[in-house]
Amino acid sequence: MRLTRYFLPVLKENPAEAQIVSHRYMLRAGMIKQQAAGIYSWLPLGYRVLRRIEQIVHEEQARAGHIALLMPTLQSADLWRESGRYDDYGQEMLRITDRQDREMLYGPTNEEMITDIFRSHVGSYKDLPLTLYHIQWKFRDEMRPRFGVMRGREFLMKDGYNFDVSKEDALHAYNRHMVSYLRTYERMGLTAIPMRADSGPIGGEDTHEFLVLAATGESEVFYDEAVTELKLGARTVDYDDRACVAAICREFTSLYARTDETHDAALFDAIPAARRKVGRGIEVGQIFYFGTKYSEPMGATVQIADGSKVPVHMGSHGIGVSRLLGAIIEASHDDKGIIWPEGVTPFACGIVNLKQGDAAADAACAAIYAALGALGHEALYDDRDVRAGEKFATMDLIGLPWRITVGPRGLANGVVELTSRRTGISEEMPAEAAVARIAAIYAGV
RNA sequence: CGGGGCGUAGCGCAGUCUGGUAGCGCAUCUGUUUUGGGAACAGAGGGUCGUAGGUUCGAAUCCUAUCGCCCCGACCA
């Protein structure tokens, strides 16, 4: 994309309403525009990142054998009366009446609806196990939205629901979700720690939250520092292998890591003092096993081998997709702007033409841009006729992880400059080498 | 929902106390000179001062109502 043809309304000054760094940078980098309290438009740059995150979530869900569908944002109140949650949910639920005076609501989650779909179409244990999920906009009418997309009222969420014939099977689904979530966050460049949590209004027996450590996090967290070193890395996971999946879950949950809700001071104090950490975290996902809490009252049953009908065992699993933008920025930025991990960056790299209008510089930039595009890596080419400093400042703000800087001075020596946004380290090399380096970097992402 | 604050040009703000018909910086547009980390000079455009009433010869400024947004708290992903 050529910047002169793009829509990137960056701000030089900090908007007054933004308090935390991710909110400030998202506004300044022209990623979002607030339309009402806790409700945002996604401008092109923000939308690109949002889609990247969605794509990673889809890929990892597919890998775990989960099936995508799409449910509507508006739901009928009747469905929620069946589970008893219509009254339980309170003011946070946005209630709407249509022209026929029918009671509707803008869904804050989809347990009831997915259970309805399930009971309409599934009747046999032979159809199980089944895990369905979607990525859809939700609405929770927070009393006090804040921190930009981290605590909006409208938010994009991946929510998945597993249906199993037994508790044992459902716990395997739980474990599968834990591992797939760990992979998902790792691909986004995040360290998200699973922590034993409270079940809240969803209800249930077993639940873990995934927390990204950040000073601005909403939850106080207590953890063994060794848990932050755990990585899935390149290991292959067979999601059908219960023992393998369970072993990974044990590995990631056996060290102490809890939020203040479930904190146990005695267990915490048993950690060696040097590794005992108290910090703050941003919740970016949560998984639940809740058994037959919805299937029983809503009649979601399957017939088993002996001919009897049993309510299915369920769990639900969520990733805060739009919130992740904020969480990633909180975890990855400096005083000049955002630093996108390669996994979610809106463009593979930036190309800065130091002397727009110089025939050699223009040609070199165009060639680099085309070469990257041919390899499947879209660059953002700053072809504006502005001073170098302004181009650098823009690139730093929007946080592309790599920058290729092209100027007449370097070209005279046959080189361009490749700069890492994260380290700030620049290397001079021929243009072809810089293109090859970018390709090599993304080959491993 | 309790407490506090703010709505004046695209963004950040001053002006409000003490009423006299709106200003600064950045951004935008034009020109000239510049050009490897947010340039300089000259000129230009842009605001029914959140909205609606009221007081007054006269309201951004005083009064009333209302809408919106932000912060602290409680709540939440």
Side-chain angles (χ1 to χ4, degrees):
Chain A
M1 179 61 65
R2 281 172 177 264
L3 190 46
T4 53
R5 296 178 193 170
Y6 201 45
F7 179 60
L8 185 70
V10 300
L11 302 173
K12 205 164 172 177
E13 289 172 273
N14 277 322
E17 76 260 26
Q19 301 300 312
I20 63 167
V21 65
S22 61
H23 191 194
R24 278 206 302 271
Y25 283 154
M26 287 185 79
L27 290 167
R28 284 195 50 204
M31 297 176 66
I32 52 171
K33 167 168 169 46
Q34 179 167 320
Q35 303 292 168
I39 299 177
Y40 295 85
S41 287
W42 293 81
L43 305 184
L45 191 75
Y47 186 46
R48 282 184 78 102
V49 181
L50 192 66
R51 284 187 310 189
R52 291 294 302 270
I53 291 175
E54 271 189 278
Q55 190 190 338
I56 290 173
V57 171
H58 277 305
E59 287 172 6
E60 292 305 324
Q61 288 303 299
R63 212 194 288 259
H66 304 159
I67 314 293
L69 48 62
L70 185 61
M71 292 177 272
T73 53
L74 293 176
Q75 306 185 25
S76 155
D78 292 343
L79 209 47
W80 285 67
R81 289 207 171 88
E82 283 192 54
S83 68
R85 283 208 297 180
Y86 191 65
D87 297 321
D88 293 350
Y89 228 93
Q91 294 286 99
E92 232 181 60
M93 179 185 280
L94 181 63
R95 294 149 206 267
I96 301 164
T97 36
D98 69 10
R99 66 198 297 165
Q100 314 284 4
D101 232 27
R102 282 184 289 242
E103 292 175 275
M104 312 288 289
L105 57 98
Y106 196 123
T109 176
N110 288 66
E111 279 83 3
E112 284 79 0
M113 190 169 277
I114 198 78
T115 305
D116 180 57
I117 290 170
F118 179 87
R119 71 182 173 188
S120 301
H121 302 291
V122 179
S124 164
Y125 75 102
K126 293 178 184 169
D127 297 323
L128 304 186
L130 180 65
T131 295
L132 300 171
Y133 78 95
H134 75 342
I135 297 178
Q136 178 62 291
W137 292 94
K138 308 287 192 296
F139 196 93
R140 291 184 193 166
D141 198 359
E142 296 287 338
M143 287 181 218
R144 191 183 158 210
R146 61 183 123 171
F147 303 152
V149 299
M150 297 248 292
R151 178 108 185 264
R153 291 194 295 170
E154 188 184 50
F155 57 99
L156 189 62
M157 180 175 167
K158 173 266 169 182
D159 46 323
Y161 306 88
N162 68 282
F163 303 91
D164 288 280
V165 73
S166 67
K167 177 170 182 176
E168 192 183 30
D169 287 2
L171 290 177
H172 175 237
Y174 185 90
N175 289 342
R176 214 168 54 227
H177 278 88
M178 182 176 291
V179 174
S180 69
Y181 279 24
L182 289 169
R183 284 192 72 120
T184 301
Y185 297 126
E186 241 179 70
R187 282 187 62 188
M188 295 175 190
L190 288 173
T191 301
I193 304 166
M195 301 194 183
R196 186 163 295 282
D198 256 0
S199 60
I202 307 281
E205 304 174 20
D206 213 346
T207 177
H208 282 84
E209 292 181 329
F210 293 79
L211 280 291
V212 172
L213 297 177
T216 45
E218 73 267 79
S219 312
E220 188 169 27
V221 296
F222 303 83
Y223 61 100
D224 182 332
E225 196 176 20
V227 81
T228 63
E229 309 298 328
L230 297 172
K231 290 274 182 293
L232 277 173
R235 74 179 98 172
T236 53
V237 178
D238 177 356
Y239 281 102
D240 292 326
D241 181 341
R242 296 189 179 209
C244 160
V245 170
I248 294 172
C249 292
R250 269 198 305 281
E251 178 185 342
F252 279 79
T253 57
S254 54
L255 290 164
Y256 189 87
R258 294 195 184 184
T259 63
D260 48 3
E261 298 166 317
T262 53
H263 180 55
D264 183 323
L267 289 173
F268 185 60
D269 290 341
I271 304 168
R275 291 178 4 212
R276 204 183 299 149
K277 299 285 176 188
V278 180
R280 301 199 70 81
I282 300 165
E283 193 192 327
V284 293
Q286 187 162 10
I287 55 178
F288 301 89
Y289 164 71
F290 47 65
T292 59
K293 179 181 161 80
Y294 298 92
S295 57
E296 212 148 2
M298 295 185 66
T301 59
V302 290
Q303 201 163 18
I304 57 173
D306 69 6
S308 63
K309 287 186 172 180
V310 295
V312 290
H313 286 256
M314 295 174 58
S316 73
H317 320 88
I319 292 179
V321 172
S322 50
R323 151 175 281 219
L324 272 166
L325 282 267
I328 292 167
I329 296 170
E330 291 295 331
S332 183
H333 68 271
D334 63 17
D335 59 357
K336 288 184 287 196
I338 300 165
I339 305 172
W340 291 115
E342 278 85 356
V344 299
T345 183
F347 293 95
C349 76
I351 300 172
V352 168
N353 186 343
L354 291 173
K355 187 151 185 162
Q356 206 68 43
D358 176 90
D362 290 359
C365 286
I368 291 167
Y369 180 82
L372 285 168
L375 293 169
H377 302 295
E378 185 164 12
L380 182 64
Y381 170 22
D382 191 344
D383 60 339
R384 294 175 299 170
D385 188 17
V386 299
R387 298 163 71 88
E390 191 170 343
K391 295 190 179 190
F392 291 142
T394 299
M395 285 295 175
D396 288 345
L397 174 62
I398 69 173
L400 307 185
W402 298 93
R403 187 186 77 209
I404 297 175
T405 309
V406 179
R409 196 183 297 170
L411 288 176
N413 298 319
V415 296
V416 298
E417 199 176 85
L418 180 66
T419 306
S420 159
R421 174 67 180 86
R422 190 171 293 279
T423 65
I425 295 171
S426 292
E427 288 178 69
E428 293 195 332
M429 61 186 77
E432 305 74 45
V435 169
R437 276 282 294 280
I438 295 290
I441 288 161
Y442 283 96
V445 172

